[in-house]
Amino acid sequence: AQSVAQPEDQVNVAEGNPLTVKCTYSVSGNPYLFWYVQYPNRGLQFLLKYITGDNLVKGSYGFEAEFNKSQTSFHLKKPSALVSDSALYFCAVRDSNFNKFYFGSGTKLNVKP
Amino acid sequence: EAGVTQFPSHSVIEKGQTVTLRCDPISGHDNLYWYRRVMGKEIKFLLHFVKESKQDESGMPNNRFLAERTGGTYSTLKVQPAELEDSGVYFCASSQLLNTEAFFGQGTRLTVV
């Protein structure tokens, strides 16, 4: 069965510190992996994706994520957090055999000044 | 280029009433998805259109939900009659190809009282 797990409901980090938002997945075929961000009263915005190639992918706003096949993980990272990064982050996987996205439950990121 | 737009942004209806949500995808995107997030849980798949055809409707909760995409352009999702557990945020997304990211609308927050 296809699924995504985001083990942390909330992540708190001080501005300027590195941040990590965790994501693990389970798919039957090759995974296509995505991160989306939702700011208050806004829709989901695409951040980055892994389809194939280099395991480290870079995306919008200085975010990056590392695909780890052996650990079935796709953690979102940023070297230096900004207060404006505070939002709700969703990890998603699309199985290459199917057309739909499977989402995690979301992680609320709080960046304190 | 306009993004995915959804109407209305909010809807409050009484149990037993009917509500119709509308989604206008990005022009030229054949793939259109409906998703729902209930009570802060994960974003769950409802159904997927390819042009005007329903490719996958495995996520539709029951026969009170009816989705259409006449002419392969905009889509509507009707809930009739609405129940309390239908409350949540309904997202629409579209994509051009299956191995790319999907673009999401801002969502419709439905409250059934």
Side-chain angles (χ1 to χ4, degrees), chain A residues 30-64:
Chain A
N30 292 321
Y32 297 154
L33 295 156
F34 303 82
W35 275 100
Y36 284 84
V37 59
Q38 185 181 22
Y39 297 101
N41 301 315
R42 302 288 295 276
L44 296 169
Q45 280 181 241
F46 168 74
L47 270 182
L48 51 78
K49 66 183 177 184
Y50 171 83
I51 303 297
T52 186
D54 195 348
N55 289 344
L56 183 66
V57 294
K58 295 185 183 297
S60 306
Y61 313 121
F63 283 92
E64 58 189 29

Side-chain angles (χ1 to χ4, degrees), chain A residues 32 34 36 38 41-46 49 51 88 90 94 98-106, chain B residues 33 35 37 40-43 45 48 55-56 58 91 95 97-106:
Chain A
Y32 297 154
F34 303 82
Y36 284 84
Q38 185 181 22
N41 301 315
R42 302 288 295 276
L44 296 169
Q45 280 181 241
F46 168 74
K49 66 183 177 184
I51 303 297
L88 191 55
F90 290 94
R94 176 186 256 168
F98 301 96
N99 300 331
K100 57 196 175 194
F101 289 82
Y102 295 87
F103 284 87
S105 53
Chain B
Y33 306 83
Y35 283 84
R37 188 173 192 232
K41 296 184 179 178
E42 70 267 25
I43 299 171
F45 170 83
H48 170 212
Q55 179 79 3
D56 181 352
S58 61
F91 291 103
S95 71
L97 300 172
L98 292 179
N99 65 345
T100 62
E101 64 273 22
F103 295 87
F104 282 77
Q106 81 281 10

Side-chain angles (χ1 to χ4, degrees), chain A residues 80-96:
Chain A
S80 178
L82 300 172
V83 172
S84 57
D85 292 330
S86 298
L88 191 55
Y89 290 80
F90 290 94
C91 180
V93 64
R94 176 186 256 168
D95 191 312
S96 60

